Amino acid sequence: MNLDEINSRIDEAFGTYPKQLRVAARYVRENPDKIALHSLRQVSDMASVHPSNLMRLVRELGFDRYSEFRDPFRDWLGSGQTTMRGRVEGLRTKGKLGQMSETVAEVFARDISDVEATASQIRTEDLVAAADMIIAARRVFIVGFRSLHSAAFFFHYSCRMFSANAVLVDGRGGAMGDEVRDAGPEDVVVVLSHKSYSRDALNIARYAKNAGSRIISIIDSPLAPTAAISDVRLVLSASNASVLSSVVSTLSVVQALITVIVSKIGDDVFETMKRNDAFYKALDTFVED
């Protein structure tokens, strides 16, 4: 069993664990380097759990001994893929060895695997629940920073095709989060977040939640910081085959969510589309065939 498989097992079972087991599981999920380098007792102390609880988690995950459980973490640490620098160095080495074709093929294969895994774990009822919230909302604030800005922008752009209530939160001019200043119970915040998680995205979600807004999280783990305050969690699979965590599966979830929204939206969408067409024609936006 490799580290990805261990993480998947934790993600799938996390909600069924008792409190102390959840504490241990969260620490394991978020600190793989500590597991690779430290003993059972040392990790227990750092995670603030009793060693028996950590050992119970180890057995729940299918290992008889802690040393067996630690081996995949050591393999991961030794692979050099734990940091961006390590991934860049690994890619440069493969390039020098003439392994570029294999490397490119691996990137495509990992993205395909991510999308397939995401499709199997995203529940249609969760997409429908998220769509219903978005359709009923006064405003929909869309939050996705750094590498996830592209997916957030795509979601915002798509929503604007059929609704005027979508607001992209992008910190323009340094005014980070000002868009949600007057968020309230009639509003929804959609947060896109991958590890390493954006503190700004978390703070904005917390602020909106305290103001009564509902939160939809599109995240790469049920243990992501916004998961605990979310009304709907869409948990996807995202790997690091290249330099940064891939956004391909995130875009797939966004596409699926947009599809559900459009299938449930009212007839006034056609009037909105008509206005869009008139606008694009007036500005001569697109090159005609």
Side-chain angles (χ1 to χ4, degrees):
M1 189 185 307
N2 60 33
L3 183 57
D4 287 341
E5 291 168 332
I6 291 173
N7 287 338
S8 294
R9 289 194 177 189
I10 290 175
D11 292 350
E12 290 169 4
F14 186 79
T16 67
Y17 291 155
K19 182 178 179 180
Q20 284 301 302
L21 220 59
R22 288 201 303 271
V23 173
R26 182 181 294 277
Y27 189 85
V28 168
R29 190 71 169 81
E30 296 179 352
N31 299 277
D33 54 326
K34 299 293 194 300
I35 309 303
L37 296 172
H38 297 284
S39 69
L40 173 70
R41 186 166 295 279
Q42 289 171 325
V43 171
S44 299
D45 289 342
M46 289 184 284
S48 299
V49 296
H50 194 276
S52 63
N53 286 316
L54 180 56
M55 194 60 215
R56 180 182 172 187
L57 175 66
V58 168
R59 293 195 177 102
E60 288 276 349
L61 293 170
F63 297 91
D64 293 326
R65 295 188 297 275
Y66 179 78
S67 59
E68 295 174 352
F69 170 71
R70 187 170 56 183
D71 285 343
F73 292 85
R74 289 184 165 180
D75 291 342
W76 167 80
L77 191 64
S79 70
Q81 301 300 304
T82 60
T83 64
M84 185 183 297
R85 181 183 178 89
R87 291 192 291 273
V88 169
E89 288 177 345
L91 291 172
R92 284 167 54 84
T93 298
K94 289 180 179 179
K96 291 175 182 177
L97 294 174
Q99 299 174 346
M100 195 53 63
S101 295
E102 295 89 336
T103 302
V104 171
E106 181 183 353
V107 171
F108 284 119
R110 290 292 289 271
D111 279 341
I112 292 169
S113 177
D114 282 345
V115 172
E116 289 176 342
T118 298
S120 68
Q121 65 196 44
I122 294 285
R123 302 189 308 169
T124 301
E125 51 264 43
D126 289 334
L127 288 168
V128 170
D132 286 342
M133 287 183 189
I134 289 169
I135 292 169
R138 176 182 60 169
R139 290 170 301 180
V140 180
F141 298 103
I142 301 169
V143 181
F145 299 137
R146 301 184 184 278
S147 63
L148 288 171
H149 178 74
S150 58
F153 178 85
F154 177 73
F155 188 34
H156 173 257
Y157 181 81
S158 299
C159 287
R160 292 283 296 176
M161 292 293 103
F162 51 81
S163 174
N165 69 344
V167 179
L168 181 64
V169 179
D170 60 3
R172 192 173 305 171
M176 182 62 70
D178 268 26
E179 295 89 346
V180 302
R181 186 188 304 166
D182 61 344
E186 297 178 343
D187 300 318
V188 167
V189 177
V190 180
V191 183
L192 291 75
S193 189
H194 287 187
K195 189 177 179 67
S196 299
Y197 302 105
S198 165
R199 187 173 299 279
D200 288 327
L202 175 60
N203 288 340
I204 289 168
R206 283 174 172 166
Y207 175 85
K209 185 70 174 181
N210 289 335
S213 301
R214 287 172 293 178
I215 310 297
I216 299 169
S217 283
I218 301 176
I219 47 182
D220 63 346
S221 167
L223 280 67
T226 60
I229 61 171
S230 296
D231 298 275
V232 176
R233 290 168 288 277
L234 301 173
V235 183
L236 53 86
S237 176
S239 61
N240 283 316
S242 185
V243 178
L244 296 173
S245 178
S246 176
V247 300
V248 171
S249 54
T250 305
L251 285 166
S252 293
V253 172
V254 167
Q255 286 268 43
L257 181 53
I258 292 166
T259 300
V260 176
I261 293 170
V262 172
S263 73
K264 294 173 68 65
I265 207 165
D267 290 341
D268 55 350
V269 66
F270 297 110
E271 186 61 33
T272 302
M273 293 172 66
K274 184 177 179 180
R275 289 197 302 271
N276 290 342
D277 289 341
F279 171 77
Y280 293 135
K281 185 175 182 180
L283 269 65
D284 194 23
T285 302
F286 303 113
V287 177
E288 299 292 337
D289 292 335

